[in-house]
Amino acid sequence: GAGVSQTPSNKVTEKGKYVELRCDPISGHTALYWYRQSLGQGPEFLIYFQGTGAADDSGLPNDRFFAVRPEGSVSTLKIQRTERGDSAVYLCASSPSGQREAFFGQGTRLTVV
Amino acid sequence: GENVEQHPSTLSVQEGDSAVIKCTYSDSASNYFPWYKQELGKGPQLIIDIRSNVGEKKDQRIAVTLNKTAKHFSLHITETQPEDSAVYFCAGAGYSTLTFGKGTMLLVSP
């Protein structure tokens, strides 16, 4: 596709459940980022991939959060034992190699009830 | 780490007026400063950016200025239109990741 695609667009889950959020970056972009945005706030960095490897995961809040990008394209953000405080919009962005212009998807709105 | 402050949090202007949003950053190593526009229910859209070797950049009605000494940068929108209404975010980046401000809600009244 032409832009970054995230699925699902909305996800409602019960507290304690496991969720997976998917990101399809722009074709050819080697850098991929996950951010989290709470209501009325700017996006907060979670993790950055360069190719298949996590170059910086310092933003992951705790060990319930994990992300993979096994083939250097699609990425999945995984959240175990979800808590109500995990409710937010999870944004994915991609960037061409060697540049830092980041292009965002529309986000996945996660609601933990 | 980097800390980005953004002001004002809300800004109301009449159509045709100019709008200015200001940001400051803390990390002198930051050298890339993008601005994003976010409409309700959508992801942030990159509208303009500036690198630290440039003091000003313009794209039609939008301009960004950067003062490295003072560690602040600003977004200027001229001849505002109702479709400019959205939340605008500034950000700063050093090595790779972006640190965002808290956003400015711009409302342009017809």
Side-chain angles (χ1 to χ4, degrees):
Chain A
V4 177
S5 177
Q6 292 187 246
T7 53
S9 55
N10 283 282
K11 175 71 176 178
V12 180
T13 191
E14 292 181 347
K15 178 176 178 294
K17 298 290 187 181
Y18 167 83
V19 296
E20 291 188 351
L21 311 179
R22 177 187 169 105
C23 173
D24 279 270
I26 294 171
S27 179
H29 282 193
T30 59
L32 185 145
Y33 309 83
W34 284 98
Y35 286 81
R36 179 167 70 174
Q37 187 174 29
S38 300
L39 193 63
Q41 301 294 317
E44 293 180 317
F45 168 72
L46 295 176
I47 187 169
Y48 155 55
F49 287 92
Q50 184 61 252
T52 60
D56 184 350
D57 65 357
S58 62
L60 295 177
N62 52 60
D63 60 7
R64 295 187 297 106
F65 289 75
F66 191 70
V68 296
R69 195 186 185 199
E71 298 179 355
S73 179
V74 171
S75 177
T76 304
L77 178 65
K78 309 180 180 192
I79 310 174
Q80 299 177 322
R81 306 182 304 279
T82 51
E83 300 177 357
R84 292 195 179 88
D86 298 335
S87 297
V89 175
Y90 289 80
L91 294 164
C92 176
S94 70
S95 179
S97 175
Q99 302 182 46
R100 283 173 295 174
E101 293 88 348
F103 300 93
F104 282 83
Q106 83 283 6
T108 293
R109 180 175 297 279
L110 175 66
T111 303
V112 182
V113 297
Chain B
E2 175 66 280
N3 181 50
V4 176
E5 300 283 342
Q6 183 172 348
H7 301 280
S9 56
T10 59
L11 179 58
S12 294
V13 299
Q14 292 290 320
E15 182 177 2
D17 288 351
S18 295
V20 180
I21 302 171
K22 299 182 179 182
C23 290
T24 60
Y25 62 98
S26 62
D27 189 350
S28 57
S30 290
N31 56 14
Y32 174 65
F33 306 93
W35 287 87
Y36 286 84
K37 174 183 180 182
Q38 188 173 29
E39 297 175 324
L40 196 62
K42 297 185 178 181
Q45 176 192 4
L46 179 65
I47 57 172
I48 195 168
D49 56 14
I50 191 167
R51 299 180 190 274
S52 60
N53 58 346
V54 175
E56 183 173 358
K57 183 176 179 180
K58 188 173 182 180
D59 182 4
Q60 299 183 357
R61 297 186 296 108
I62 294 174
V64 58
T65 59
L66 171 65
N67 183 325
K68 287 172 53 181
T69 303
K71 294 183 189 171
H72 65 69
F73 56 113
S74 301
L75 177 71
H76 304 252
I77 306 174
T78 58
E79 301 171 24
T80 53
Q81 302 167 3
E83 51 265 38
D84 294 330
S85 296
V87 179
Y88 290 80
F89 292 97
C90 63
Y95 168 60
S96 58
T97 59
L98 297 171
T99 300
F100 285 83
K102 291 189 175 182
T104 296
M105 180 176 291
L106 175 64
L107 177 61
V108 181
S109 303

